[in-house]
Amino acid sequence: EAFSSFLAHVKSILLEESSQSRADTDESTNKEETQREVSGALSLVLRLVQDFASGLVALRVNADFAAKLVDQAMDLAESMVRRNVNQKFHDLRLAVAKDCLLPFADKAVKERELALAQGEPAIPKIVQLASSALSDCLQLVDDVIRSIFSDSSSSDDLKDAVRTSTLAFTAWLANSFEILAGGDPSDATVEAPLEDEENDSDDEDQEESGFPGHSHTNEFGAASDR
């Protein structure tokens, strides 16, 4: 019970440190530095717990009991890894919405109005704009994945977390483009919300990541252009 309380205390400190970093600044360099510190702290805790468990076994304490202590520490580390990856992809959605999807929507609407005024079809140009926006989105995804693996050891847990979050993001992105084109949201969209934590206040940020949302209008008048 004391060991579980200790790990809960460690987790609360790491979560507070991570949340404080997000609240204090938007500078990516400071966020990355904080994440490296959190990752280093987790590695230290895990190594010390493993040494502690080995010492208990050497003192003829039940090996299964000692192993459970290590398992608890590993669960904590895995939880923080998943949370970090989910947070980065949560921020990625906001960045894609702001830097890629909104500019694309604005350009597409203007292109359609221009095409209608000139009596020309707008779809070819809009498709070209969509292709360019998608390319920009994928570049941001690549940058995020590279940053995740550059800041942490490439463990199986990290790979699984990145794979899951990437799947959820690509489904969200495809759904967003479908909505912008005037279609209905796909029921197959996969969500990867931030892991629920006690006293964690990320719910409002999580809701923001739902751009462009499920209530929508056909900005491009896709039906008329088809």
Side-chain angles (χ1 to χ4, degrees):
E1 291 178 358
F3 186 75
S4 296
S5 298
F6 161 71
L7 287 184
H9 181 63
V10 170
K11 186 173 185 178
S12 67
I13 292 176
L14 296 178
L15 288 174
E16 181 180 358
E17 191 73 19
S18 179
S19 298
Q20 187 62 41
S21 173
R22 293 181 60 212
D24 286 345
T25 180
D26 290 329
E27 294 182 13
S28 59
T29 53
N30 290 340
K31 289 182 179 180
E32 297 301 333
E33 179 62 28
T34 298
Q35 186 51 48
R36 281 193 289 270
E37 292 177 357
V38 170
S39 178
L42 281 171
S43 297
L44 177 60
V45 169
L46 185 56
R47 186 170 67 251
L48 292 176
V49 171
Q50 289 172 332
D51 291 344
F52 176 57
S54 297
L56 291 178
V57 173
L59 293 174
R60 302 190 180 221
V61 174
N62 186 287
D64 290 338
F65 175 79
K68 289 179 181 179
L69 301 183
V70 176
D71 289 342
Q72 284 183 266
M74 291 185 67
D75 287 343
L76 169 61
E78 292 169 7
S79 172
M80 293 299 297
V81 166
R82 289 194 303 271
R83 192 178 190 282
N84 176 50
V85 172
N86 287 342
Q87 181 61 61
K88 284 181 178 292
F89 274 86
H90 170 268
D91 294 341
L92 175 63
R93 292 191 186 193
L94 298 179
V96 165
K98 176 183 176 182
D99 299 335
C100 301
L101 298 184
L102 288 177
F104 160 66
D106 184 57
K107 292 177 183 177
V109 170
K110 292 179 180 178
E111 183 60 36
R112 177 178 178 273
E113 293 174 350
L114 179 62
L116 289 176
Q118 297 177 347
E120 299 177 351
I123 289 298
K125 182 62 176 179
I126 292 177
V127 169
Q128 183 179 355
L129 291 173
S131 178
S132 177
L134 179 59
S135 178
D136 293 340
C137 292
L138 296 180
Q139 181 60 54
L140 291 177
V141 175
D142 185 63
D143 292 342
V144 167
I145 293 176
R146 287 178 183 274
S147 70
I148 290 173
F149 283 109
S150 65
D151 293 338
S152 307
S153 58
S154 183
S155 64
D156 290 339
D157 293 325
L158 180 63
K159 292 177 181 178
D160 289 341
V162 170
R163 186 180 300 110
T164 300
S165 291
T166 301
L167 173 62
F169 175 82
T170 54
W172 171 84
L173 182 61
N175 202 29
S176 298
F177 272 108
E178 185 176 358
I179 292 173
L180 289 174
D184 294 326
S186 171
D187 293 334
T189 300
V190 180
E191 293 294 342
L194 294 179
E195 186 175 341
D196 291 335
E197 303 290 352
E198 293 184 4
N199 302 321
D200 194 3
S201 58
D202 286 333
D203 290 342
E204 293 182 2
D205 291 340
Q206 181 65 21
E207 291 178 0
E208 292 180 29
S209 70
F211 178 89
H214 286 265
S215 62
H216 63 280
T217 56
N218 185 348
E219 293 286 353
F220 309 149
S224 61
D225 280 342
R226 287 174 191 154

